[in-house]
Amino acid sequence: NKKDMRDMGPYPVINGGISPSGYIEQYNQAEGTITISQGGESAGYVNWLKTKFWAGAHCYVLKSAETVVNRYLYHFLKSKEYKLQKCKYGAGIPALARSTVSALKIPVPPLAVQREIVRILDSFTELTAELTAELTAELTARKKQYEYYRDSLLNFDLTYDLSNILGLSELGKMLRELCPEGVAYKKLGEMAIVVRGASPRPIKNFITTDTNGVNWIKIGDITPGSKYITKTTEKITENGAKESRFVHEGDFILSNSMSFGRPYIMKIQGCIHDGWLAISKFEDYFISDFLYYLLVSYKYQHIMKQKASFGGAVQNLNADIVRGLTLPLPPLAVQREIVRILDKFSELTSDLASGLPAEIEARKKQYEYYRDKLLDFKEIKTSGK
């Protein structure tokens, strides 16, 4: 029961989902067991449990006979997972009948053959796991390297020296020529307009499906890790827009609660509610991308989080805090050069990040291809002839 489970614990509770339902102090199944989800959207999902676990009421537990190697049975069932998922029934919560699982016909070659098939297929899965771990570690290292150079290049007490160490001769030359006395600092409120959003209330009265409505920007419209706001799922009426805060393409918006301080650049125009702050009219001082790199850097993210928290209780990030941020103001030519350098670092990291799932998917398909070939005994027999 839910009341018996915790978020963490020694033994996972396996039910109808792909992930554990929770954790408890007891187990009723040994490690190395096969389960199949019985109910829900993931009904038919075949899983291999490496640890002891508690099997709940919404999964099937499979135990192989002496003539079948358990791991061989798992690989075979995994190859039929898509068929099991097609056999779900029920208009409400989908379910998989026990009779459907029991009716599956399984090829049973000699145990020695089964063990060899398991050895081959497990080698594929192990190689995929190793590659995933290596690529993930490489991506993490690249991200940390990028963040280090970004934050260092934006710390103008260090930038002069770093430009020589990193071989960034053009940047070093610009800094010496254009900023011989050092880079000036000014408060953001002196260089831009910072305001809080506003919400028409009750908001449900102003939501519209009219294509001519005004974009209504919410946290849910953000893609994790994104730099831009490009679309919204909802629109509000023109009357609603009059009671809200309108932002233009190129303006910045920052969330002022929860993950407060994370900046996004508007690629569209629309209205923001009071969970956002907007920054505009900064073009005389900052290139948009340079300001973005500043605001997303560790230093200014830390300052905003620190000033928005008092005594451990998280408060809203208000407009005065953002206006009070003291930012470096290098010449526009220096800003462009720093943006060019950081864009290259960012591009390398993004390429690796996008390549990781593609490589994992390619390895998964390779495993599935050989698995299906090895478990098609008609084809093996024909090939043998």
Side-chain angles (χ1 to χ4, degrees):
N1 292 324
K2 286 184 178 179
K3 64 182 178 60
D4 301 317
M5 292 186 279
R6 304 199 307 265
D7 292 335
M8 295 296 293
Y11 304 112
V13 178
I14 303 301
N15 270 302
I18 292 175
S19 302
S21 302
Y23 295 83
I24 58 171
E25 300 288 337
Q26 306 171 60
Y27 65 90
N28 61 8
Q29 300 295 331
E31 59 269 34
T33 296
I34 305 164
T35 64
I36 299 179
S37 297
Q38 179 271 333
E41 286 301 315
S42 59
Y45 171 72
V46 178
N47 198 8
W48 174 267
L49 278 300
K50 294 181 179 179
T51 62
K52 296 180 177 69
F53 68 99
W54 186 277
H58 299 289
C59 76
Y60 296 118
V61 174
L62 286 83
K63 310 247 177 157
S64 59
E66 291 181 1
T67 54
V68 180
V69 175
N70 211 30
R71 186 68 177 169
Y72 167 82
L73 177 61
Y74 164 75
H75 284 298
F76 176 80
L77 291 170
K78 200 69 178 172
S79 74
K80 302 301 177 186
E81 185 177 71
Y82 72 99
K83 286 188 175 181
L84 292 171
Q85 290 175 335
K86 284 183 178 179
C87 293
K88 293 185 287 191
Y89 68 91
I93 299 174
L96 178 68
R98 179 178 173 178
S99 58
T100 301
V101 180
S102 299
L104 274 176
K105 289 190 176 181
I106 301 167
V108 187
L111 289 172
V113 174
Q114 293 182 40
R115 292 190 188 101
E116 180 61 12
I117 289 172
V118 167
R119 185 191 68 78
I120 295 168
L121 294 179
D122 278 355
S123 68
F124 275 110
T125 56
E126 287 167 12
L127 284 170
T128 301
E130 288 173 9
L131 180 67
T132 301
E134 288 174 12
L135 290 173
T136 302
E138 175 68 15
L139 177 60
T140 301
R142 285 286 185 91
K143 283 182 175 178
K144 286 184 177 179
Q145 183 186 44
Y146 159 70
E147 289 169 0
Y148 170 78
Y149 287 125
R150 178 198 65 199
D151 294 347
S152 298
L153 283 172
L154 295 172
N155 180 349
F156 287 92
D157 293 333
L158 301 175
T159 306
Y160 288 89
D161 296 330
L162 268 176
S163 60
N164 294 323
I165 294 170
L166 297 175
L168 304 175
S169 57
E170 187 63 28
L171 177 60
K173 181 182 176 182
M174 284 183 180
L175 286 166
R176 285 189 294 273
E177 290 180 356
L178 301 175
C179 313
E181 303 298 323
V183 172
Y185 282 75
K186 292 183 74 172
K187 289 185 177 180
L188 181 57
E190 299 173 25
M191 301 180 284
I193 295 174
V194 182
V195 292
R196 186 179 179 182
S199 300
R201 289 185 170 85
I203 185 59
K204 64 180 181 180
N205 292 347
F206 297 94
I207 298 295
T208 180
T209 56
D210 188 342
T211 54
N212 294 319
V214 180
N215 289 320
W216 180 238
I217 301 152
K218 306 190 303 301
I219 289 289
D221 295 318
I222 295 164
T223 303
S226 63
K227 182 177 179 179
Y228 302 104
I229 303 288
T230 59
K231 59 184 179 180
T232 63
T233 56
E234 291 183 336
K235 294 179 181 290
I236 58 172
T237 62
E238 289 187 7
N239 286 335
K242 291 175 184 177
E243 298 183 41
S244 182
R245 178 77 64 181
F246 194 83
V247 288
H248 298 84
E249 186 172 351
D251 290 351
F252 277 64
I253 61 172
L254 288 77
S255 53
N256 66 20
S257 60
M258 300 298 285
S259 59
F260 44 68
R262 178 68 168 82
Y264 302 93
I265 303 174
M266 295 297 302
K267 282 288 187 181
I268 56 174
Q269 59 183 19
C271 284
I272 56 171
H273 54 67
D274 47 13
W276 294 103
L277 299 174
I279 304 174
S280 61
K281 308 295 183 185
F282 53 81
E283 293 81 6
D284 290 343
Y285 299 92
F286 292 112
I287 292 168
S288 182
D289 286 337
F290 180 80
L291 179 58
Y292 173 82
Y293 282 128
L294 273 179
L295 294 176
V296 84
S297 68
Y298 173 80
K299 177 180 179 179
Y300 293 103
Q301 286 289 297
H302 180 70
I303 289 172
M304 285 187 279
K305 288 175 183 176
Q306 193 175 46
K307 291 194 173 184
S309 303
F310 301 94
V314 178
Q315 307 295 321
N316 283 344
L317 177 70
N318 60 52
D320 285 337
I321 292 172
V322 177
R323 291 189 195 106
L325 291 174
T326 303
L327 303 179
L329 185 59
L332 295 180
V334 172
Q335 293 184 32
R336 290 190 192 95
E337 180 62 11
I338 290 175
V339 166
R340 184 188 69 79
I341 295 164
L342 292 179
D343 278 353
K344 280 193 172 182
F345 275 116
S346 181
E347 186 179 345
L348 287 170
T349 305
S350 296
D351 287 347
L352 186 61
S354 60
L356 177 59
E359 182 65 28
I360 293 171
E361 183 63 23
R363 289 301 180 106
K364 179 185 173 186
K365 288 186 180 298
Q366 185 183 43
Y367 156 74
E368 290 171 351
Y369 172 81
Y370 285 109
R371 179 197 65 198
D372 295 347
K373 292 289 185 185
L374 285 170
L375 295 173
D376 185 348
F377 287 93
K378 289 179 182 178
E379 183 163 339
I380 291 174
K381 188 175 179 182
T382 303
S383 301
K385 285 181 179 179

